[in-house]
Structures are given as structure tokens and as C-alpha cells.
């Protein structure tokens, strides 16, 4: 009787393990397909931009392409990761900033960057909006912070504990205008404010060492 119970227990465990493996494979395939679809969307935006004569329209399409790429990068990292729910946010932020530097043709000897992320594992529901926030703010720095080949640096920093994360994105360029950034109508900053609300966080602007946006939000695990 004991031998029968042991055999049934082992069989049940094997069934559970097989089911988990199938779910992991399915999730990886989902991330892979989402990444591929986003990359196709990015390519379509690039092709469309090549056919449009207006520089303003080209710029808008390139910005949309960068946003799509930032989301595709999350799914690419999840596809390659052993953890299908969380990603190494430090690695993600480094890849994202390097992607933006290439997109804007920035001389990395002229504009240097620093990525400093503590406790870098973030849930996908945190990583996607944070990545889009970084995309918008770093792109804004690259477009406006260093005119006339001005040298400088940009940075992305994140401090985290069990309950909160604080994301800082800034540059030491020419500085942000004196107007209240919450009242600006630019799409990028509207998106940053919307994403901060999605994270149930708060956003502020510091001009003490250039221009630094500070986003603080509660950890998902702490909220659950």
C-alpha cells in the first residue's frame, strides 16, 4: 500500500513538472512572438519615415519607432531569461540607452552616460512603463540638452527597497525651461506623466545639477 502511494505521488509530481514546463515554453513563445510583432511594427515605421519628405513627420515616426523598440526589448529579455515574470532592469536600461544613442547618432565620446541601478529585478508591469519613461526623458535630453555639439552626460539611476522604487533620469545639458513641466503639451512629457500615474507614483523635477526627473512608485509586491 505504501509503495502504491509513493508511486502515485511520484506520478503526480511528474505530471505537475511536465505541466509547468509546457507553460514555460508557451510563455517564452508568447514573448518571442510579441517581440517579433513589435519589431515588424518598428520596421514599418522606419519604411514609412523613409517615404515622407517632411522632417517633422520623420522625427515623429522615429520617436514612435523608439517607443516600440523599448517595449520589444522587454519581451526579448523575458524570452532569454530564466525568470519569465521579471527582468534585470539594469541590463535593460543599459541596452535601451545605447539603442537611443545609436538612433540619434550621438558621439559617445561627446555625450557620456551612466547607468546605476540597485536591486535591478523588476516585474514586467513595472519594467515596461519605466522603460518608456527612460525612453522619453533620455530622447528629450539627446534632442535638446546638448546643442552645438556641447559635451556632457546623461544618467539613469534607480534606488529600490522592498516597498518603493525611485527612478532618476537626468542630464547636465543646457537645462529644462522654467515653465511647469506638468503643464507642457508635448507628447513625450504627457506620456511620462501618464506612465507615472500607471505606476501609481509621483514625479518631480530637480534643476540642482542640470535637469533631473525623479519618479517614485510603490513596488508591486508591496501593493499585492
Amino acid at each position: 500500500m505504501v509503495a502504491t502511494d509513493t508511486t502515485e505521488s511520484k506520478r503526480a509530481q511528474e505530471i505537475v513538472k511536465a505541466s509547468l514546463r509546457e507553460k514555460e515554453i508557451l510563455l517564452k513563445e508568447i514573448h518571442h512572438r510579441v517581440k517579433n510583432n513589435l519589431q515588424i511594427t518598428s520596421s514599418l515605421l522606419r519604411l514609412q519615415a523613409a517615404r515622407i519628405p517632411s522632417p517633422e513627420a520623420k522625427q515623429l515616426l522615429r520617436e514612435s519607432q523608439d517607443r516600440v523598440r523599448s517595449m520589444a526589448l522587454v519581451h526579448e529579455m523575458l524570452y532569454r531569461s530564466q525568470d519569465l515574470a521579471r527582468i534585470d532592469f539594469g541590463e535593460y536600461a543599459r541596452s535601451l540607452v545605447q539603442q537611443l544613442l545609436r538612433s540619434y547618432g550621438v558621439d559617445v565620446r561627446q555625450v557620456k552616460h551612466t547607468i546605476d541601478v540597485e536591486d535591478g529585478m523588476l516585474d514586467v508591469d513595472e519594467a515596461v512603463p519605466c522603460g518608456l519613461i527612460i525612453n522619453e526623458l533620455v530622447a528629450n535630453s539627446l534632442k535638446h540638452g546638448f546643442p552645438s555639439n556641447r559635451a556632457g552626460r546623461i544618467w539613469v539611476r534607480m534606488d529600490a527597497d522592498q516597498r518603493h522604487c525611485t527612478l532618476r533620469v537626468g542630464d547636465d545639458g543646457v537645462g529644462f525651461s522654467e515653465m511647469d513641466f506638468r503643464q507642457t503639451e508635448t507628447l513625450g512629457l504627457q506620456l511620462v506623466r501618464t506612465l507615472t500615474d500607471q505606476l501609481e507614483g509621483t514625479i518631480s523635477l530637480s534643476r540642482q545639477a542640470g535637469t533631473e526627473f525623479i519618479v517614485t512608485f510603490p513596488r508591486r509586491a508591496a501593493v499585492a
Side-chain angles (χ1 to χ4, degrees):
M1 188 68 177
V2 173
T4 302
D5 291 344
T6 301
T7 301
E8 291 179 354
S9 177
K10 288 182 178 180
R11 187 180 296 119
Q13 290 176 8
E14 289 301 321
I15 292 172
V16 170
K17 288 180 181 178
S19 178
L20 288 173
R21 282 195 297 269
E22 288 176 3
K23 288 180 180 178
E24 287 176 359
I25 292 170
L26 178 59
L27 280 173
K28 279 185 174 290
E29 181 62 23
I30 289 171
H31 287 306
H32 185 58
R33 291 191 180 190
V34 170
K35 179 206 71 172
N36 286 346
N37 287 337
L38 289 170
Q39 288 179 336
I40 290 170
T41 302
S42 177
S43 297
L44 289 172
L45 290 170
R46 176 176 54 81
L47 292 170
Q48 187 66 50
R51 298 172 64 88
I52 295 177
S54 167
E56 292 80 6
K58 283 180 181 289
Q59 178 64 26
L60 289 173
L61 286 172
R62 182 171 73 171
E63 291 170 1
S64 296
Q65 187 180 5
D66 288 335
R67 292 171 185 130
V68 172
R69 283 175 176 169
S70 75
M71 291 185 287
L73 186 57
V74 170
H75 292 282
E76 180 180 352
M77 292 185 67
L78 286 168
Y79 175 69
R80 292 189 282 108
S81 174
Q82 295 298 316
D83 188 334
L84 298 177
R86 302 189 303 165
I87 68 169
D88 183 334
F89 192 72
E91 180 186 352
Y92 173 51
R94 282 187 288 274
S95 298
L96 180 55
V97 171
Q98 289 168 0
Q99 187 171 273
L100 285 166
L101 292 170
R102 289 194 299 271
S103 176
Y104 282 86
V106 174
D107 185 346
V108 295
R109 296 168 297 181
Q110 193 82 356
V111 179
K112 301 184 182 301
H113 64 281
T114 301
I115 310 296
D116 184 9
V117 176
E118 295 183 6
D119 189 17
M121 299 302 293
L122 287 188
D123 291 347
V124 63
D125 289 340
E126 298 168 330
V128 170
C130 282
L132 285 168
I133 288 171
I134 291 173
N135 183 86
E136 297 305 319
L137 296 179
V138 170
N140 195 61
S141 294
L142 295 176
K143 285 187 293 183
H144 305 297
F146 308 100
S148 304
N149 294 321
R150 176 186 175 118
R153 64 188 182 92
I154 58 176
W155 59 85
V156 175
R157 299 188 176 106
M158 178 176 281
D159 302 314
D161 57 29
Q162 293 298 315
R163 300 190 62 82
H164 296 91
C165 285
T166 300
L167 174 65
R168 300 172 182 270
V169 183
D171 67 73
D172 63 355
V174 296
F176 195 78
S177 66
E178 291 299 321
M179 70 173 63
D180 185 351
F181 73 93
R182 295 179 179 83
Q183 304 302 320
T184 57
E185 297 301 321
T186 61
L187 176 60
L189 287 176
Q190 286 185 43
L191 182 56
V192 168
R193 295 195 299 268
T194 299
L195 292 164
T196 301
D197 291 340
Q198 182 179 324
L199 289 166
E200 300 180 3
T202 60
I203 183 170
S204 61
L205 172 62
S206 171
R207 295 186 174 92
Q208 291 182 353
T211 301
E212 183 177 66
F213 286 88
I214 305 163
V215 177
T216 301
F217 60 93
R219 301 297 300 266
R220 297 290 180 181
V223 173

